Structures are given as structure tokens and as C-alpha cells.
Amino acid sequence: MGTEGEGGDVVRVRTAADGATSLAQCICSPGYFFLSSGEAFFGLLNTGVAEDEDNCVPCPEGAACPEYGHTLRSIVVQSEYWRSSANSSTTLRCETH
């Protein structure tokens, strides 16, 4: 998950391209999605700007974050899982009977 930086450290936040000129261009790396502390508690929407690496959290089990810049609303829930809404970071496995 994420991309490797210098020394093999995982980079959770980066810009999508070289030459960024603004903090607003910082986004989460593949394998992570942006979750603000407000979203975690209140389900608020966000812009996806990752001011802090702590805002980029691993994509939940049963979901994929294959590209740069995923937000809570844009994570891709896999076919054997579901979530209650696009504002939920909790994915649940479909039960088979």
C-alpha cells in the first residue's frame, strides 16, 4: 500500500505530479484514502486535500483505493462487500446462505 519514498518508507501523502505549487495539491497515495477527523466523528464530506499524513488512512478491508486522491466517498467497495452509505468507512462482507 502507498508508494515507497527514500529509504523504503511508505509515503501516504504526495502530489499527483511534480511541480506542485500549493498545499491543495497534496493527496493520498494509492492504497489510502483521505479521512478528516471531522469525518471520522460526524460523517462530513471533504475536499481530499491531505494537509497531514495522518489524514491518509489505509483503505478498509473489502474496498480498494487504486489511484491517487481517493476520499471516503470515492473508495471502491469490492463485489463481496457493502457499506451503508458513501459516507461510511465501514465495509461489511455479504453473508451467503
Side-chain angles (χ1 to χ4, degrees):
M1 271 189 219
T3 56
E4 277 195 24
E6 293 182 30
D9 295 331
V10 173
V11 178
R12 295 187 287 178
V13 178
R14 62 160 289 154
T15 58
D18 291 339
T21 58
S22 166
L23 175 63
Q25 293 172 294
C26 296
I27 56 176
C28 296
S29 295
Y32 294 86
F33 73 101
F34 179 83
L35 182 69
S36 71
S37 57
E39 275 185 314
F41 294 105
F42 304 110
L44 303 175
L45 302 180
N46 64 69
T47 62
V49 175
E51 301 95 356
D52 188 325
E53 189 170 88
D54 291 341
N55 291 113
C56 292
V57 296
C59 208
E61 180 181 345
C65 303
E67 301 167 4
Y68 288 99
H70 275 282
T71 64
L72 179 60
R73 295 183 61 82
S74 71
I75 61 175
V76 180
V77 179
Q78 297 173 335
S79 62
E80 295 179 10
Y81 291 81
W82 65 280
R83 62 180 172 160
S84 61
S85 77
N87 295 323
S88 174
S89 61
T90 302
T91 55
L92 303 168
R93 190 171 186 82
C94 295
E95 293 187 31
T96 56
H97 297 279

